Amino acid sequence: MNYATVQDMVNRFGEPELVQLTDLDLQAVNAPKAEQALEDAQAFADSFIGRVYRLPLTGCTKPAPVPGNPGAVELVAPPQITRVVCDVARYYLHSDLAPEHEVYLRYKAAERELLQIAEGKAVLSCPWGGAPGTLVAGDAPGDAEVHYGFSPRQITDETLRGFA
């Protein structure tokens, strides 16, 4: 499943910016160059997401009414992953950005968001219902197999005797 398309990037950042970033002649968006940046950004996102979710993600079920079939649905990537992948791909298309540049700041925010997902501090969500994918272990992030166990501390009057 692709997390984002060239059209997603055009919708978010505008066609003039994508043309400027992908085509030296400033004629049109160079789709292969933009798609390569998207593939690299998706691989970057998968390196974080793969810690929590089995890859590839199954996708969110989004209602897609079609004439004659109002109950039709389509599988799409979770919206926050589409946004993150677009931000990372945009960063990859730029060269020599200053640390205070908006594109760089959005890239760093995307990286932090992916890290929070990987650490189980944030989850992918499907606004239309359902789950974006299967968790690697357990029913929630962090429900993995425990390899080490420690006995609980026994704090009683006897164990504390002699401490001031």
Side-chain angles (χ1 to χ4, degrees):
M1 155 175 292
N2 290 329
Y3 298 156
T5 64
V6 174
Q7 187 59 50
D8 289 328
M9 290 187 70
V10 168
N11 293 345
R12 289 174 186 279
F13 311 122
E15 190 169 358
E17 180 176 346
L18 269 275
V19 169
Q20 183 180 8
L21 291 172
T22 61
D23 186 15
L24 296 176
D25 298 328
L26 301 177
Q27 300 296 318
V29 174
N30 180 343
K33 187 172 182 179
E35 287 167 359
Q36 182 61 56
L38 284 167
E39 287 175 19
D40 293 345
Q42 181 165 329
F44 180 73
D46 277 347
S47 69
F48 290 91
I49 295 169
R51 294 183 193 172
V52 181
Y53 293 92
R54 293 192 196 285
L55 298 175
L57 293 178
T58 54
C60 298
T61 305
K62 180 179 180 180
V66 209
N69 187 4
V73 296
E74 64 178 324
L75 288 177
V76 297
Q80 73 259 45
I81 288 300
T82 301
R83 176 184 42 78
V84 164
V85 166
C86 285
D87 284 343
V88 172
R90 181 183 186 201
Y91 171 76
Y92 287 167
L93 289 170
H94 277 82
S95 59
D96 299 327
L97 291 174
E100 65 274 2
H101 195 281
E102 181 248 346
V103 172
Y104 178 78
L105 295 175
R106 287 179 70 148
Y107 165 76
K108 293 308 278 181
E111 185 178 40
R112 283 190 304 274
E113 189 171 347
L114 288 170
L115 185 59
Q116 289 200 334
I117 291 168
E119 292 174 346
K121 296 177 182 175
V123 295
L124 295 177
S125 62
C126 294
W128 310 280
T134 306
L135 295 170
V136 171
D139 294 328
D143 281 352
E145 181 180 334
V146 177
H147 294 282
Y148 299 98
F150 301 94
S151 60
R153 292 184 178 185
Q154 300 295 323
I155 300 175
T156 64
D157 287 338
E158 284 299 313
T159 60
L160 293 176
R161 195 172 309 276
F163 288 100

